[in-house]
Amino acid sequence: MTDAVSSILEIVRIPVLQDNYVWLLRCPLTGQTGVVDPAEAAPVEAALAQRGWTLDWILNTHHHWDHTGANVELKARSGARIVGPARDAARIPGMDLGVDEGDRFDLGACPATVHFVPAHTAGDVAFHFPASRALFCGDTIFLMGCGRLLEGTPAMLWDAMLRLRALPGDTWVYCAHEYTVANARFALTVDPGNPALRARAQAVEAQRGRGEPTVPGLLCEERATNPFMRADDPALAAAVEMVGAPPAEVLGALRARKDRF
Ligand code: ZN
Ligand code: FE
């Protein structure tokens, strides 16, 4: 038995609703199976049945219905347990296990570290599986974008960005929506002189043109092209006429501009 190989998750993308991605995870050593942010039950059950898998865990990044909508139904049919943000337990339907900053969660033999990253909501968590180089971040980071600040502040989002961008650059970012092309178009308006962004914007337009998903993306590419993760770069501060301002304020201005884009 070689742990290095066996602790790498098998990950299946399930597109649901308009533009959501639900992620099915399987530990190859134990067969333990999880689903991240199930918006709808039927597509998840179809993906499970197709592979002969049964559901053991539901992982929630935050309380929104397009991430928790199938919690109760899937739990009732499979007996799966639900893990989500401890600090937002009251808003996570059917939650069994609360996790918080720095906690470890094991999907079978695949351990994840939990990051508490409130900003989009007051209770977001992200699950990082280091051996699988996989980060499940819900609506906190999108490729070249970020979630709306519905319950948190720019300072909270900047704190989350700093902690998540410090993860290894070869980490795959599994976000919960296919917003990449719209994000790239906005990013070009505030960071037009960034060659990495221009190249990536072109690449994702082509991918979507071929009907291909863009998610997951690599964290090192986010560091180079995501304007919200680059709020401490003078070019981004200049774009919102805030040279010298703290990065959290630049991030707030960028997010406000994106809200109106
Ligand atoms: Zn959300
Ligand atoms: Fe969402």
Side-chain angles (χ1 to χ4, degrees), residues 76 108 111 119 124 160 163 174 220 261:
D124 308 68
R163 286 184 291 127
Y174 291 84
C220 58
F261 183 68

Side-chain angles (χ1 to χ4, degrees), residues 20 62 66-67 139 177:
N20 280 69
H62 66 294
D66 64 314
H67 301 255
D139 291 356
H177 290 271

